[in-house]
Amino acid sequence: DLCIYTLRFLCIISLRFTTPPKGLERYNEGVMLIVDSSGPQDVLKGVKILTEEAEKGLDEAQYMLWLVYAESDRSKALYWLQQAANQYHPEGLYALSGLYKTGQDVKKDDAKALALLRQSAVRECSDAQYELALRYLTKDGVEADAHQTLKWMIKAAYAGNTDAEYYWGKFAYDGILLQQDITVALEWLEKAATKGHAKAIRLLGEVQLELDNLTEARKWLQKAVDANDVNAMAPLAFLMWKTDEDMAKILALLKTASQHNDDEALRLLGSFLFYGEGEYADTTKGLEYLRRSAELNNPRAQIRLGIIYLNGDGIKANPAKGMEYLQKAAERNYPEAQRLLGQAYFEGNGVERDPLLSHYWLELSAENGDGQASGLLAQGYLEGKLWKRDLKKAKKHLDAACENGAEDVCKSLQTRLNKALQEK
């Protein structure tokens, strides 16, 4: 059993050391006998040396014996792990924490597992730092704490923990827990992606696609797809569509991802078929794929269906169903859906005009940075038809519309507002 386990031990050793620790010649001799073994006798001799050093109290040797015996003799492995942890060996504390968390070899004890995890993290074990950060993020045995999440995640990331590098990049990209910074996001995502982190590879490709860096986007998204990441197929298909590649290949890629119920692939496939031309046009199937995507809570599919049903776009209009789809996306705080709902109530498109609901949804959308929503609010306060005329509020919302890129609204209303202010 000991010899069978040698292969795994060799892998651990190769990752754990670049050069053997200085001043530990006897310990290093034992390790090297196992690493460079020419047969079972060398392995046994190496283990004997490690055992001698462990019995003298060398924590590194004690931890290594835990690794050596972990699959061949759990009782002996646990003994040496406990010895290493008693001396506050960082990785030993982390490994013992895992046993108490799962109840393997010891009685399950969440409080002890957490205490050991904290001790390991304080002693610079990057795996422990990452797990502790994740616990504070996901409320796993502790109260959610943004400060503790960031503190331990960045420590782990700087220590080279690949998962932590990915999360720090994701935090910076999403603007979760810290201010959004795309430059920082790209830096950390690339660190993790270069090491082969699957989620980092895909997200890096998606961010580059969003930035319109198509060469870099293709590089990472293709790498993700080549590694069978189904969730990377939709963004790669979208990139192929942007660069006018073969539609048959694009649809084939999306169909593969759709078979795995990828909501974004279903949305894109539905949109391409619903609005397609010639041999690639299929309104019925397009609508079916969009519905499947919406059922999986894809907000953009819900918004698209809302528009289709509200306006009778290519099919018979069904305003009630259209509003239902828009409501679902709006309640998940998507500004476009909120604006479209507010606009429907503002204009009486498919529903009765409603001052309260119109103002509620447009205000929410505007607060979320939708310039068109701000423009509609400005129009409403300028005209005074749906709400009481208020030129001060009209100016405030028109300024917001201009700041948020609604240039058409800005131009069309600015002259009217200026004239109204002069007349007043």
Side-chain angles (χ1 to χ4, degrees):
D1 285 341
L2 189 61
C3 295
I4 292 171
Y5 187 71
T6 301
L7 285 176
R8 179 168 178 260
F9 182 53
L10 292 176
C11 294
I12 295 167
I13 293 294
S14 66
L15 291 171
R16 195 167 164 70
F17 294 106
T18 49
T19 55
K22 293 181 180 179
L24 301 174
E25 288 77 9
R26 187 69 173 155
Y27 164 79
N28 295 334
E29 181 186 348
V31 170
M32 290 302 109
L33 275 169
I34 298 173
V35 172
D36 298 327
S37 68
S38 57
Q41 291 303 316
D42 283 345
V43 174
L44 292 172
K45 188 176 179 180
V47 171
K48 182 182 177 183
I49 293 173
L50 287 178
T51 302
E52 290 171 357
E53 295 303 300
E55 287 172 346
K56 293 176 186 177
L58 182 62
D59 63 343
E60 196 70 30
Q62 292 165 347
Y63 179 72
M64 278 298 168
L65 286 173
W66 144 254
L67 296 175
V68 168
Y69 289 114
E71 291 183 9
S72 61
D73 189 333
R74 294 297 296 182
S75 177
K76 194 174 286 187
L78 179 61
Y79 170 78
W80 287 118
L81 179 60
Q82 289 172 329
Q83 296 303 307
N86 287 342
Q87 297 198 73
Y88 301 104
H89 186 280
E91 286 79 11
L93 289 164
Y94 177 64
L96 191 57
S97 166
L99 296 185
Y100 277 107
K101 189 172 190 292
T102 61
Q104 183 181 9
D105 300 323
V106 295
K107 184 178 179 181
K108 183 174 168 61
D109 189 329
D110 290 333
K112 193 163 187 176
L114 182 59
L116 289 165
L117 184 65
R118 283 181 171 139
Q119 290 177 20
S120 177
V122 167
R123 286 165 178 79
E124 307 300 332
C125 173
S126 66
D127 287 338
Q129 292 168 338
Y130 166 69
E131 185 177 325
L132 192 55
L134 210 57
R135 278 176 169 244
Y136 281 113
L137 179 67
T138 61
K139 298 189 286 187
D140 181 6
V142 293
E143 292 295 322
D145 189 320
H147 173 73
Q148 291 294 324
T149 298
L150 294 174
K151 170 186 172 181
W152 293 113
M153 196 68 80
I154 193 60
K155 279 180 175 287
Y158 272 113
N161 184 285
T162 310
D163 287 320
E165 290 170 343
Y166 161 71
Y167 265 99
W168 197 259
K170 183 170 169 50
F171 288 167
Y173 171 66
D174 291 337
I176 295 176
L177 303 183
L178 70 163
Q179 188 174 358
Q180 186 181 50
D181 189 323
I182 300 301
T183 302
V184 170
L186 289 173
E187 175 189 351
W188 286 101
L189 287 174
E190 187 156 359
K191 284 178 185 288
T194 302
K195 296 177 184 177
H197 193 285
K199 290 183 178 179
I201 291 170
R202 181 191 349 126
L203 183 55
L204 182 57
E206 290 173 341
V207 175
Q208 295 287 13
L209 178 58
E210 186 177 305
L211 296 173
D212 218 30
N213 297 330
L214 301 186
T215 302
E216 281 295 301
R218 176 179 284 280
K219 168 187 168 183
W220 293 108
L221 289 174
Q222 188 65 61
K223 189 178 180 70
V225 170
D226 290 344
N228 297 317
D229 185 342
V230 173
N231 294 320
M233 292 179 178
L236 180 59
F238 181 69
L239 185 154
M240 292 167 68
W241 174 76
K242 283 192 72 170
T243 51
D244 295 320
E245 296 183 38
D246 183 46
M247 182 56 77
K249 292 182 179 179
I250 293 171
L251 294 179
L253 192 60
L254 291 173
K255 284 177 181 176
T256 299
S258 296
Q259 290 170 359
H260 296 271
N261 277 335
D262 181 83
D263 63 291
E264 187 61 13
L266 287 164
R267 181 190 73 83
L268 284 173
L269 186 56
S271 295
F272 287 149
L273 291 174
F274 189 85
Y275 294 104
E277 297 178 357
E279 62 181 304
Y280 302 117
D282 193 325
T283 303
T284 303
K285 281 189 177 179
L287 203 58
E288 178 188 340
Y289 283 122
L290 284 170
R291 284 172 181 156
R292 283 177 58 192
S293 179
E295 286 169 5
L296 292 170
N297 288 321
N298 184 294
R300 286 189 283 185
Q302 292 167 341
I303 291 169
R304 178 51 51 197
L305 285 169
I307 294 170
I308 288 171
Y309 281 113
L310 195 61
N311 299 332
D313 189 358
I315 60 170
K316 184 179 179 181
N318 188 334
K321 187 173 282 191
M323 294 294 280
E324 182 182 335
Y325 277 117
L326 290 176
Q327 182 100 16
K328 287 178 180 179
E331 287 175 351
R332 295 176 62 204
N333 212 31
Y334 280 83
E336 184 184 1
Q338 293 166 341
R339 168 175 46 86
L340 289 169
L341 267 183
Q343 188 171 357
Y345 286 118
F346 182 87
E347 298 173 348
N349 180 18
V351 292
E352 290 187 14
R353 298 187 79 186
D354 189 314
L356 291 178
L357 286 174
S358 174
H359 191 276
Y360 172 78
W361 288 114
L362 289 175
E363 188 76 30
L364 272 181
S365 180
E367 287 173 1
N368 285 322
D370 191 297
Q372 297 290 335
S374 295
L376 286 167
L377 286 167
Q379 180 183 338
Y381 281 115
L382 175 61
E383 294 175 347
K385 294 178 180 178
L386 206 57
W387 315 302
K388 183 179 178 181
R389 194 182 201 206
D390 189 323
L391 298 183
K392 186 176 180 181
K393 287 183 178 179
K395 185 178 186 310
K396 168 192 164 186
H397 288 296
L398 186 57
D399 288 344
C402 298
E403 289 172 8
N404 287 306
E407 295 180 6
D408 52 340
V409 175
C410 194
K411 290 177 182 177
S412 65
L413 289 181
Q414 193 66 65
T415 303
R416 290 172 60 191
L417 179 60
N418 289 339
K419 183 179 179 181
L421 287 170
Q422 288 173 359
E423 290 174 352
K424 184 180 177 182

